[in-house]
Amino acid sequence: MPSLSLPNSKSLLLFFFWLLTAAKVYAHNSGTISGTVSDAAGRQALRGAAVRLLETGSTALTNELGHYRFSNLPAGTYHLSLSHMGYQAVQITVVLAEDQTTSVRTFLLATQIELGEVAVSSERPQEQQLITALDIRLRPITNSQEILRLVPGLFIGQHAGGGKAEQLFLRGFDLDHGTDIRLSVDGMPVNMVSHAHGQGYADLHFVIPELVQGVDFGKGPYNPEQGNLATAGWVNFRTRTALDSSFAKLELGQYDTYRAVAGVDVLGAKGRAQEQSAYVAAEYSFSNGYFYNPQNFNRLNLVGKYHGHLTPASRLTLTGSTFYSKWNHSGQIPDRAVAQGLIGWFGSVDPSEGGETSRHNLNAELVTMTPAGNVLRNQVFCSRYGFELYSNFTFFLNDSLNGDQIRQKERRHLFGYNGSYSHAHQLGSLPLTSTLGLQYRQDITDDTELSHTLDRRQTLEQRQLGDINELNAGVYLDEQLQLSSRLNLTTGVRFDVFRDQYRNLLLTPRRRQQATASIVSPKLNLYYTASPALQLYLKSGKGFHSNDTRVVVPQNGRDILPAAYGTDLGIVVKPAPRLLVQAAAWYLWLAQEFVYVGDEGVVEPSGKSRRQGLDLSARYQLGRFLYLDADFTAAKPRAIGAEAGEAYLPLAPTFTSAGGLSVQGWHRFSGSLRYRYLANRPANEYNSIVARGYFVTDAQVNYTHARYQLGLSVQNLLNTRWKETQFATESRLRGEALPIEEIHFTPGTPFFTRLSGTVFFR
């Protein structure tokens, strides 16, 4: 029988000594520093604050709850450096005991922006929007259109008197009203799919500009969280969770222009002490405009928002808003009518054009952080939307007696859900953040209509009338892997399913037609941060834009989800302490172009296309109070497979530039002098008709006191005569024997001054 040998006493002592040592080593490396960063005035969490652990050189960016975390630290004394754009940087000391979690909370004070303090970080580089943060602070925000112009390279044009959504241009795209750009407000979608006036129609006028806290954006189809329509890019507005103080603002301008805005901080200091805030705000605008036909423009916005912590680790945000607008407009006018003296520069051919629209929103978001530092986000939203627009693009081309005026109308219910779970963990020894997301959206419209009308009063013919039910469900996975202190890899994949249903109310029997489709969209992005002054990146990904339900259902679902493939090669560099430059060479291939045909009320699929170009943005701080910025974009958009000389993409911009000088905090004065330039571009596929470019300048000056602010803004400072939107359209005027195709345009704003006064109630 074998004998068992027992360890001698010396061996036992060595074994227990090893266990004790191992336990101590484990304990020395199991401590955690956990913290939150908040705004000192409003006591609201600051997302994107940079936190550096000086002893190890490790960095972290705060999440949506303002939280950061450093784990596996030995006991000892640590020093943290905390900074955020527009706030005073601070250093704090943290004493960490063995096998303990030390929690700290830091409040940052708002201060003057210093470009010298901006550093390029390797931690979640895809979330850094340095240029946007600078622009929002340095440029006065007066309306939602100006907010969109903050995105480098994004141009807008209004061609319906201010009530209709703007025409958008970005990266060689004429985006129409949102066909290839995804817009959202606090995560709630703005774009309307299968809209009566065009696919992706995005009306941002329900946003009160004074309530915008920040803007996130991205160019290209590289973010797995952004799904349908995010081919040229995406933009998300973040509205304020709290007001610094209650305020009332009044604006007076030329052309019978009036605007009043007020916001009331409901909970005040008592609420902030309990980490809660609530406010209500209202906006009313009226203008007759600079057109000969009075615009009689009216807009009303009401919004209420609550933000609070249900527990120290959970945050609830509730937002409700309502919006209504009604207006007359002068439409697009043909060059020949002005040249022949039939109408003036600000005249109209059909003075009965106009419309009205409304939108009522509810948005609820609950963000929870688990004890391990993971983030669970749940959001539900719903909107009730109405739209009615009267337009006349071709005048008397089709009906020489009554004219070609059309009515586009719809009533819509939109509801959906956005959810995600982010988990920070390790892949071997490498930090990895995994995010799994689920999105759902459903649009249900009643009586989506296109009719031939007369003087906005008489319906001559119903050309389209039907009900739309469009569902989009998507799931995505986003992986952010820190390969080294300098190299970051983000990869992701997205899967979307669409179900389109349409019931044509002009047919008997009224049966519902249906089509379904799905698409997989992979993404791969690589960032190399050579130093706090230099970063290189390579982005690649697949995206898509959906087609109009009224188009895809009759053709049995063909081409519901045309794909887009893009890549960016870029650099972010600080060649000097106060100079920040970002440049990118990019390419985008699109499986199918969409062309909106206004008088038929549909989006017609066109052929394949490709776009390639260069983006350049620069920000330079000339002195303590003076800042310079400039953005340049060059693009070569072309149709694929077209005959030689017929491959131009109508109205696609080929070169744009915008920039200016800004003053901040100089003896209570702030302001800006800005320009924007859009070069000549083809108006048709042959380039035989050219949309002429423009160069326009604007200025604004503010004087700010603790209790009030005075402002003066001037649009089109040099009183340039320019065409804000242009189309190559075939039309016929009354009495003309034959139709003519030429530029039809909406004149841009003339010299236009506006005074404003704001009173703060603290």
Side-chain angles (χ1 to χ4, degrees):
M1 185 174 180
S3 62
L4 295 176
S5 61
L6 297 175
N8 58 34
S9 58
K10 184 176 181 181
S11 299
L12 284 172
L13 287 174
L14 289 173
F15 177 73
F16 285 118
F17 179 79
W18 177 84
L19 284 178
L20 183 59
T21 304
K24 286 185 176 180
V25 170
Y26 177 79
H28 282 208
N29 290 277
S30 61
T32 298
I33 297 176
S34 174
T36 58
V37 183
S38 303
D39 172 77
R43 303 182 70 85
Q44 300 297 316
L46 289 177
R47 189 188 71 166
V51 185
R52 179 179 292 272
L53 189 61
L54 300 182
E55 280 70 20
T56 65
S58 301
T59 60
L61 293 180
T62 55
N63 62 21
E64 293 177 279
L65 293 170
H67 181 264
Y68 63 91
R69 189 183 187 95
F70 295 100
S71 302
N72 299 325
L73 298 174
T77 300
Y78 293 91
H79 299 84
L80 299 178
S81 173
L82 302 96
S83 61
H84 193 283
M85 181 60 60
Y87 290 85
Q88 290 182 7
V90 300
Q91 283 193 12
I92 62 174
T93 300
V94 178
V95 178
L96 183 62
E98 293 183 4
D99 198 19
Q100 296 292 322
T101 295
T102 300
S103 298
V104 293
R105 186 171 186 184
T106 308
F107 294 94
L108 299 184
L109 292 169
T111 187
Q112 192 86 9
I113 291 176
E114 290 289 340
L115 267 176
E117 297 179 0
V118 175
V120 180
S121 172
S122 62
E123 180 76 16
R124 301 207 305 269
Q126 68 282 353
E127 296 183 13
Q128 297 178 64
Q129 304 293 348
L130 299 177
I131 292 177
T132 304
L134 285 170
D135 292 342
I136 290 173
R137 290 293 303 272
L138 298 179
R139 301 185 197 179
I141 295 175
T142 58
N143 52 58
S144 57
Q145 294 95 315
E146 292 296 327
I147 298 173
L148 276 176
R149 287 190 179 127
L150 293 173
V151 178
L154 198 158
F155 272 56
I156 64 173
Q158 176 58 254
H159 55 91
K164 184 173 147 187
E166 284 71 36
Q167 187 179 7
L168 308 173
F169 304 91
L170 179 68
R171 280 202 162 182
F173 276 89
D174 169 15
L175 300 163
D176 196 37
H177 298 289
T179 302
D180 282 281
I181 186 169
R182 182 182 177 96
L183 303 182
S184 57
V185 175
D186 293 327
M188 180 180 64
V190 175
N191 303 78
M192 298 293 178
V193 292
S194 304
H195 188 269
H197 188 69
Q199 176 67 339
Y201 184 90
D203 187 353
L204 277 162
H205 292 121
F206 68 90
V207 178
I208 299 177
E210 285 80 4
L211 301 182
V212 175
Q213 179 68 38
V215 177
D216 300 321
F217 75 92
K219 299 180 185 179
Y222 310 127
N223 189 328
E225 185 180 354
Q226 306 297 328
N228 188 23
L229 308 177
T231 51
W234 58 273
V235 182
N236 178 55
F237 290 2
R238 287 181 283 110
T239 60
R240 293 180 178 272
T241 55
L243 298 179
D244 297 333
S245 63
S246 299
F247 70 93
K249 182 178 183 179
L250 180 65
E251 294 182 353
L252 304 174
Q254 294 175 276
Y255 315 112
D256 299 326
T257 300
Y258 310 96
R259 180 172 178 263
V261 190
V264 178
D265 181 6
V266 176
L267 299 182
K270 186 176 295 185
R272 287 192 291 272
Q274 299 176 0
E275 298 191 350
Q276 297 185 74
S277 63
Y279 65 80
V280 293
E283 173 194 35
Y284 174 73
S285 299
F286 175 85
S287 180
N288 272 323
Y290 43 83
F291 295 94
Y292 301 146
N293 179 40
Q295 185 179 356
N296 194 28
F297 168 79
N298 286 268
R299 178 187 296 150
L300 176 65
N301 271 311
L302 300 173
V303 62
K305 192 168 187 177
Y306 167 82
H307 175 83
H309 285 263
L310 301 181
T311 69
S314 64
R315 182 197 69 189
L316 176 66
T317 305
L318 302 173
T319 307
S321 65
T322 187
F323 153 76
Y324 174 79
S325 184
K326 187 175 183 179
W327 69 96
N328 300 320
H329 65 258
S330 298
Q332 297 99 53
I333 57 177
D335 276 344
R336 65 186 184 277
V338 178
Q340 296 170 15
L342 302 177
I343 60 174
W345 183 262
F346 296 104
S348 62
V349 176
D350 184 350
S352 65
E353 295 184 67
E356 62 180 297
T357 186
S358 62
R359 180 166 178 167
H360 316 285
N361 305 301
L362 290 175
N363 191 7
E365 182 183 51
L366 178 64
V367 180
T368 303
M369 188 174 63
T370 69
N374 303 318
V375 178
L376 177 64
R377 178 173 172 264
N378 290 282
Q379 179 185 22
V380 292
F381 56 84
C382 64
S383 296
R384 184 161 59 89
Y385 172 79
F387 177 85
E388 184 174 5
L389 182 69
Y390 293 84
S391 307
N392 192 340
F393 303 110
T394 54
F395 311 124
F396 295 92
L397 176 67
N398 302 309
D399 188 334
S400 60
L401 179 63
N402 298 303
D404 298 344
Q405 185 183 91
I406 60 173
R407 175 175 65 233
Q408 295 165 313
K409 185 177 180 180
E410 70 166 56
R411 298 192 303 272
R412 177 184 301 250
H413 287 86
L414 161 67
F415 53 90
Y417 168 81
N418 294 323
S420 64
Y421 179 72
S422 295
H423 174 44
H425 52 116
Q426 300 283 126
L427 180 63
S429 61
L430 302 178
L432 175 65
T433 301
S434 302
T435 301
L436 180 64
L438 176 65
Q439 297 175 343
Y440 170 83
R441 169 179 177 168
Q442 190 157 4
D443 293 74
I444 301 173
T445 76
D446 298 320
D447 298 332
T448 297
E449 176 190 3
L450 171 68
S451 295
H452 180 202
T453 58
L454 176 65
D455 293 332
R456 291 171 69 171
R457 294 190 300 269
Q458 184 177 351
T459 301
L460 303 177
E461 177 192 6
Q462 284 189 317
R463 296 176 180 171
Q464 284 188 1
L465 185 67
D467 298 336
I468 295 170
N469 189 329
E470 182 171 329
L471 181 151
N472 172 208
V475 60
Y476 67 89
L477 177 65
D478 183 24
E479 301 281 0
Q480 302 175 17
L481 180 63
Q482 194 76 36
L483 296 172
S484 71
S485 60
R486 297 184 177 183
L487 190 60
N488 181 289
L489 173 69
T490 66
T491 182
V493 64
R494 181 182 180 93
F495 176 71
D496 283 270
V497 175
F498 279 76
R499 187 204 66 193
D500 295 77
Q501 294 180 339
Y502 183 62
R503 184 173 62 172
N504 192 331
L505 301 180
L506 298 181
L507 295 179
T508 304
R510 295 177 174 180
R511 65 184 183 89
R512 187 180 298 273
Q513 296 176 285
Q514 180 172 309
T516 60
S518 61
I519 189 170
V520 178
S521 306
K523 326 280 184 178
L524 181 64
N525 307 318
L526 192 64
Y527 304 85
Y528 178 71
T529 306
S531 72
L534 176 63
Q535 183 181 89
L536 305 173
Y537 61 86
L538 176 64
K539 302 180 182 181
S540 60
K542 176 185 176 183
F544 67 95
H545 57 189
S546 66
N547 205 338
D548 192 298
T549 294
R550 294 166 293 176
V551 174
V552 300
V553 168
Q555 58 187 20
N556 297 318
R558 181 170 58 87
D559 298 326
I560 295 181
L561 306 173
Y565 298 87
T567 184
D568 271 48
L569 177 62
I571 182 173
V572 182
V573 61
K574 289 189 68 178
R578 292 188 171 189
L579 176 62
L580 179 66
V581 178
Q582 181 167 347
W586 55 269
Y587 177 89
L588 185 67
W589 182 92
L590 199 59
Q592 187 181 90
E593 287 283 316
F594 289 157
V595 178
Y596 177 67
V597 183
D599 54 354
E600 296 181 14
V602 298
V603 177
E604 281 190 352
S606 184
K608 300 179 177 64
S609 67
R610 66 170 176 264
R611 291 168 172 83
Q612 53 193 353
L614 297 171
D615 290 353
L616 175 65
S617 295
R619 303 293 183 266
Y620 182 56
Q621 186 172 353
L622 297 172
R624 183 180 176 188
F625 308 106
L626 192 60
Y627 304 82
L628 173 69
D629 67 271
D631 301 315
F632 305 89
T633 66
K636 185 180 180 181
R638 290 291 185 270
I640 298 175
E643 297 291 333
E646 300 179 9
Y648 296 96
L649 296 178
L651 302 179
T654 58
F655 183 81
T656 68
S657 180
L661 283 169
S662 299
V663 176
Q664 182 192 21
W666 180 70
H667 299 294
R668 295 183 177 176
F669 285 96
S670 64
S672 62
L673 177 64
R674 308 205 56 77
Y675 79 90
R676 58 186 185 276
Y677 171 70
L678 178 64
N680 293 350
R681 61 198 192 279
N684 61 3
E685 55 269 20
Y686 312 105
N687 199 22
S688 59
I689 302 176
V690 176
R692 297 296 174 185
Y694 58 80
F695 182 92
V696 180
T697 55
D698 304 317
Q700 180 153 335
V701 178
N702 295 327
Y703 177 83
T704 304
H705 188 270
R707 299 298 302 271
Y708 63 87
Q709 182 182 77
L710 303 176
L712 168 66
S713 67
V714 182
Q715 293 178 263
N716 194 359
L717 183 64
L718 303 179
N719 199 24
T720 301
R721 175 168 283 197
W722 60 296
K723 299 176 179 179
E724 186 165 7
T725 59
Q726 301 174 68
F727 305 89
T729 305
E730 184 182 49
S731 68
R732 183 168 63 175
L733 300 175
R734 187 186 293 275
E736 287 185 331
L738 297 173
I740 297 175
E741 184 181 18
E742 65 173 354
I743 287 294
H744 292 55
F745 71 95
T746 299
T749 308
F751 180 87
F752 181 15
T753 60
R754 180 162 40 190
L755 292 170
S756 67
T758 307
V759 179
F760 304 106
F761 305 95
R762 302 186 188 278

